[in-house]
């Protein structure tokens, strides 16, 4: 391992113990992670907070056995040590990174191939809020559901971290119409400001009818769903001929009784994936694809892809950060400031 000199032997991290409500989290001290040949060690500047962290803390989404049991799936920071097989990065390089876990800490290790340069024009705080949503949206909306320029995208949860990224990426890659569902008008206004073309209040409107009305009766070419069972049949109805539905979560249930007829009659594709469980090589391939296809867009027009940071909290205020996410009052991303 090649390391900068004078690394401490211990670090602070967020310990959620056996899990439970937000109050179960506390700051603890422990040893720094030890990198393998293909990994880098990063001094964390900031860490993004994502819904899967809340699920991990509360016990419904355990970390893989071979990953850090500390929460935190995305970070920005500076590399302080590299494994013996790492050639791309060196100590001192500033990066943003997808992590297998362990981001809520002063130091975090991750495969070198899951790191990306800080995009042009973004701060470390903004860069910390990129990887989890950019990897997820790219892999699902673009790779699996094959959204192409000129097509229509319906995003459920348009003001979420994932939804905000999906709006920006879809518009940056030429989607003709981006329609979002949100739980109130303020969230719809936020999504419209980010670039969405139409907003549907899912609490007061029927999103199937509203999507058809917004697409001259065609329906959406691609649907990004994080709601699950209660939306499955409706998504089939809201999809256009040859439409693709990408499932990335089941917030309101995993089981549904479904009339499958529209799948065949409209020649639909239902797909989905969960990022954390994918092999290192698959995440490396997504990183490479993002770097070649998406990162240049930051240089062309940073504002079109800039993550919206709703709130930042010191690492010691992690309880407040999770409480905010659970209250659902945020627009875009919540970020932990690890290096003050
Ligand atoms: N598969 C993967 O690899 C992967 C990776 C990352 C995240 N995810 C999942 O993606 C989802 C978003 O993550 P995030 O970090 O962006 O979380 P977040 O910011 O907390 O967003 C949750 C969103 O769900 C929306 N929602 C809840 N009930 C809804 C309904 N009935 N109709 C429409 N929207 C509804 C909320 O909308 P309102 O606030 O307007 O009610 C909110 O926008 C989470 O479920 C997370 O687990 C999956």
């Amino acid at each position: 391992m090649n390391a900068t000199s004078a690394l401490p032997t211990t670090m602070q991290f967020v310990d959620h113990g056996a899990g439970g409500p937000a109050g179960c989290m506390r700051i603890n001290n422990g040893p720094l992670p030890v990198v393998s040949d293909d990994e880098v060690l990063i001094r964390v500047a900031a860490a993004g907070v994502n819904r899967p962290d809340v699920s991990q803390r509360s016990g419904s989404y355990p970390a893989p056995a071979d990953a850090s049991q500390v929460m935190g799936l995305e970070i920005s920071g500076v590399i302080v040590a590299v494994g013996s097989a790492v050639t791309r990065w060196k100590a001192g390089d500033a990066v943003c990174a997808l992590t297998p876990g362990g981001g809520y800490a002063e130091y975090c290790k991750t495969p070198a191939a899951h790191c990306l340069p800080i995009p042009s024009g973004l701060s470390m705080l903004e860069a910390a809020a990129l990887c989890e949503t950019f990897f997820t949206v790219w892999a699902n909306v673009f790779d699996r559901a094959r959204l192409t320029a000129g097509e229509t995208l319906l995003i459920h949860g348009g003001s979420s971290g994932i939804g905000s990224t999906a709006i920006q990426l879809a518009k940056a890659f030429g989607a003709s119409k981006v329609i979002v569902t949100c739980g109130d008008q303020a969230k719809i206004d936020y999504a419209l400001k980010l670039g969405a073309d139409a907003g549907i209040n899912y609490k007061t409107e029927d999103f199937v009818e509203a999507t058809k009305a917004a697409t001259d009766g065609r329906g959406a070419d691609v649907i990004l769903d994080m709601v699950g069972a209660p939306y499955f049949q409706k998504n089939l109805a809201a999809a256009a001929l040859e439409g693709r539905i990408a499932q990335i979560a089941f917030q309101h249930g995993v089981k549904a009784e479904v009339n499958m007829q529209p799948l065949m009659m409209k020649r639909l594709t239902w797909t989905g994936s969960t990022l954390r469980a994918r092999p290192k090589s698959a995440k490396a391939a997504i990183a490479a694809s993002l770097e070649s296809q998406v990162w240049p867009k930051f240089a062309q027009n940073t504002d079109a892809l800039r993550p919206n940071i709703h709130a930042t909290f010191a690492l010691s205020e992690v309880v407040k950060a999770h409480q905010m996410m659970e209250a659902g009052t945020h627009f875009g991303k919540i970020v932990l400031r690890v290096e003050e």
Side-chain angles (χ1 to χ4, degrees):
M1 179 177 89
N2 296 317
T4 49
S5 55
L7 282 179
T9 52
T10 62
M11 64 171 191
Q12 292 196 323
F13 68 97
V14 174
D15 188 350
H16 64 287
C24 74
M25 295 182 287
R26 54 190 43 82
I27 300 294
N28 204 342
N29 273 285
L32 269 63
V34 177
V35 296
S36 306
D37 292 352
D38 64 345
E39 292 177 329
V40 298
L41 183 67
I42 298 168
R43 189 174 67 241
V44 179
V49 175
N50 292 283
R51 180 71 51 172
D53 307 342
V54 172
S55 305
Q56 179 178 341
R57 189 211 73 222
S58 53
S60 60
Y61 190 53
D66 59 351
S68 166
Q69 300 302 297
V70 175
M71 292 172 289
L73 300 170
E74 59 180 358
I75 55 173
S76 64
V78 173
I79 292 178
V80 292
V82 299
S84 57
V86 176
T87 51
R88 163 95 197 257
W89 306 107
K90 60 181 185 323
D93 288 343
V95 290
C96 53
L98 187 76
T99 78
Y104 288 15
E106 289 181 306
Y107 292 85
C108 177
K109 68 171 185 171
T110 197
H114 300 177
C115 298
L116 288 156
I118 305 288
S120 165
L122 293 199
S123 68
M124 285 301 234
L125 277 176
E126 289 168 326
L130 283 182
C131 285
E132 180 68 9
T133 64
F134 273 66
F135 277 64
T136 301
V137 171
W138 192 248
N140 287 281
V141 174
F142 291 87
D143 282 349
R144 304 188 77 77
R146 306 180 311 279
L147 181 73
T148 53
E151 289 195 316
T152 302
L153 172 66
L154 169 63
I155 303 164
H156 291 302
S159 68
S160 63
I162 291 278
S164 305
T165 296
I167 293 168
Q168 293 189 341
L169 279 177
K171 293 310 281 188
F173 282 85
S176 62
K177 191 165 270 185
V178 174
I179 305 164
V180 296
T181 62
C182 299
D184 63 41
Q185 189 58 44
K187 288 180 176 173
I188 290 175
D189 291 343
Y190 161 82
L192 294 175
K193 212 168 144 197
L194 277 187
D197 301 285
I200 303 165
N201 184 332
Y202 69 78
K203 292 185 178 159
T204 59
E205 292 174 78
D206 175 353
F207 78 76
V208 177
E209 290 313 313
T211 301
K212 289 201 170 150
T215 54
D216 299 325
R218 280 188 71 246
D221 297 301
V222 173
I223 300 177
L224 179 62
D225 186 57
M226 57 180 74
V227 176
Y231 278 12
F232 188 71
Q233 191 76 59
K234 292 179 180 180
N235 285 338
L236 299 184
L241 268 184
E242 305 278 357
R244 288 85 67 197
I245 301 164
Q247 198 75 50
I248 59 159
F250 308 94
Q251 289 183 69
H252 296 296
V254 293
K255 288 188 181 171
E257 189 174 304
V258 176
N259 174 348
M260 292 186 276
Q261 218 173 14
L263 265 176
M264 291 191 303
M265 301 312 289
K266 291 161 83 173
R267 301 182 295 279
L268 304 178
T269 302
W270 181 35
T271 183
S273 70
T274 182
L275 183 61
R276 195 170 194 184
R278 296 188 73 178
K280 272 199 255 184
S281 57
K283 295 177 190 173
I286 301 169
S289 179
L290 282 169
E291 186 166 3
S292 64
Q293 298 188 62
V294 178
W295 258 227
K297 296 219 180 268
F298 283 103
Q300 289 158 15
N301 183 357
T302 311
D303 285 342
L305 282 180
R306 191 179 285 281
N308 184 63
I309 310 291
H310 178 80
T312 72
F313 294 91
L315 194 63
S316 58
E317 298 174 310
V318 64
V319 173
K320 284 190 202 163
H322 273 219
Q323 285 169 338
M324 176 179 277
M325 177 155 276
E326 287 175 291
T329 50
H330 59 291
F331 298 67
K333 296 285 296 195
I334 302 168
V335 175
L336 297 171
R337 304 184 308 271
V338 180
E339 196 170 55
E340 291 281 12

